[in-house]
Amino acid sequence: MARPLPPLDLLIGFEAAARRLSFSKAGEEIFLTQSAVSRQIRKLEEHLGLPLFERQHRALVLTEHGHVLFEVVSNALSQLSETVEGLKQKPRHQQITISTTTAFSALWLVPRLTRFSAQYPDVALHIEADNRMINLQQTEIDLAIRYCSAAQTPPDSSIFLSGEEIFPVCSPALLQRNGRKLNCVDDLRHHTLLHLADPQHAWPWLQWSSWFRDAGSDLQVGDIGFRFSQLDQTIQAAVRGHGVALGSSPLVDHLLEEGVLVAPLAERVVSPRSFYLCQGTRRDRMTADFVSWLQTTISRPPAH
């Protein structure tokens, strides 16, 4: 429920006028004309339904209500000013701002935050998940994890993190529940397939039709199954046992390690994309620690 407060600019004008007991002097202080300050006070009085000043000849006097409001507003503005100034003076380097794709954030980074915090408890991560490319030189982004193809060569200063392999994954409970074997690619014809929607043909290597072709199979993709707009949604549907999805390594590695997903087939297709780390202008121990942790963690082979 919104608080019935008057506009802040009216309170600022009132505080200046009450402190200086002059509309003209208050206007000089807050860069408004005397008439503009007078209009602000009139609007504030109308909002409250109370007179705040007695307009005497060549003098301005606060009413009893005006005195009460002035004390409260003066204290509040002083406290607000001190807080804002304190925030401006605090160093930003206790926080690292990271830009990454929604899939990498949801499937790889977020599941490992506890592990990172245990190793670096004094570092706060601010994660901005967005599939758009962001110019690091024009923002306060410290690091960006990019998903690049050969045609989208990352900057020379970028750090290679990992390639990508695509392969079918499903819940172990799915295989136990429906009794349908999944020992070879041809067995997929008997399973519900989970699809990543791709109306712009931006992710062909994450489509079942492409995967079947690259895996040397002549299976055709049917209309039966579920379609999702995001990869992490597709993987979560597989975890829930709704069907078989195309998983991406390294994004699903932790789910395989934990046993909530299995990769029943040996066939894997190498994606044309890779993961890179790009750095902004910031260079300090905090970012160096995160970069080192990221490289070490993502390069660790998954347990099978």
Side-chain angles (χ1 to χ4, degrees), residues 11-22 25-26 29-30 70:
L11 294 176
I12 292 174
F14 164 74
E15 191 276 337
R19 180 164 33 82
R20 305 296 293 271
L21 292 177
S22 168
K25 290 180 179 179
E29 182 177 314
I30 61 176
F70 172 65

Side-chain angles (χ1 to χ4, degrees), residues 155-215:
D156 293 337
S157 60
S158 64
I159 300 170
F160 175 82
L161 294 175
S162 173
E164 182 183 41
E165 290 183 330
I166 310 299
F167 49 92
V169 295
C170 66
S171 165
L174 176 71
L175 301 180
Q176 298 171 5
R177 184 174 67 245
N178 62 26
R180 297 172 184 170
K181 63 180 181 178
L182 186 48
N183 300 323
C184 64
V185 174
D186 192 61
D187 289 339
L188 285 166
R189 71 174 69 248
H190 305 298
H191 289 270
T192 298
L193 302 183
L194 306 176
H195 303 269
L196 175 64
D198 187 25
Q200 304 299 322
H201 304 289
W203 326 103
W205 58 93
L206 292 172
Q207 305 303 310
W208 279 107
S209 57
S210 296
W211 191 88
F212 285 143
R213 183 189 64 244
D214 294 340

Side-chain angles (χ1 to χ4, degrees), residues 67-270:
H67 277 291
V68 172
L69 183 62
F70 172 65
E71 183 175 356
V72 173
V73 172
S74 179
N75 290 336
L77 290 178
S78 295
Q79 185 176 358
L80 180 60
S81 178
E82 291 173 4
T83 301
V84 170
E85 189 61 30
L87 290 174
K88 289 167 60 178
Q89 292 175 358
K90 288 182 180 179
R92 190 174 62 92
H93 52 259
Q94 288 298 109
Q95 172 181 290
I96 300 174
T97 303
I98 303 164
S99 169
T100 182
T101 64
T102 55
F104 191 91
S105 172
L107 293 173
W108 196 95
L109 188 53
V110 170
R112 292 169 173 81
L113 289 181
T114 301
R115 193 184 308 176
F116 176 82
S117 296
Q119 191 170 347
Y120 302 100
D122 297 329
V123 181
L125 298 183
H126 176 197
I127 301 170
E128 295 194 3
D130 197 317
N131 290 330
R132 297 175 302 155
M133 282 287 193
I134 297 174
N135 188 333
L136 299 188
Q137 309 305 316
Q138 297 178 3
T139 66
E140 290 190 349
I141 301 295
D142 300 313
L143 301 166
I145 299 166
R146 297 274 170 81
Y147 184 50
C148 300
S149 68
Q152 297 173 311
T153 305
D156 293 337
S157 60
S158 64
I159 300 170
F160 175 82
L161 294 175
S162 173
E164 182 183 41
E165 290 183 330
I166 310 299
F167 49 92
V169 295
C170 66
S171 165
L174 176 71
L175 301 180
Q176 298 171 5
R177 184 174 67 245
N178 62 26
R180 297 172 184 170
K181 63 180 181 178
L182 186 48
N183 300 323
C184 64
V185 174
D186 192 61
D187 289 339
L188 285 166
R189 71 174 69 248
H190 305 298
H191 289 270
T192 298
L193 302 183
L194 306 176
H195 303 269
L196 175 64
D198 187 25
Q200 304 299 322
H201 304 289
W203 326 103
W205 58 93
L206 292 172
Q207 305 303 310
W208 279 107
S209 57
S210 296
W211 191 88
F212 285 143
R213 183 189 64 244
D214 294 340
S217 172
D218 59 359
L219 278 181
Q220 301 297 312
V221 179
D223 295 329
I224 298 176
F226 300 99
R227 295 186 181 275
F228 303 89
S229 61
Q230 300 293 333
L231 180 60
D232 55 290
Q233 297 170 347
T234 310
I235 299 303
Q236 286 304 315
V239 170
R240 295 291 183 180
H242 298 310
V244 183
L246 282 174
S248 161
S249 178
L251 300 188
V252 299
D253 288 350
H254 74 290
L255 298 173
L256 298 173
E257 293 176 3
E258 295 168 3
V260 296
L261 285 180
V262 294
L265 304 181
E267 286 81 1
R268 294 189 173 213
V269 172
V270 176

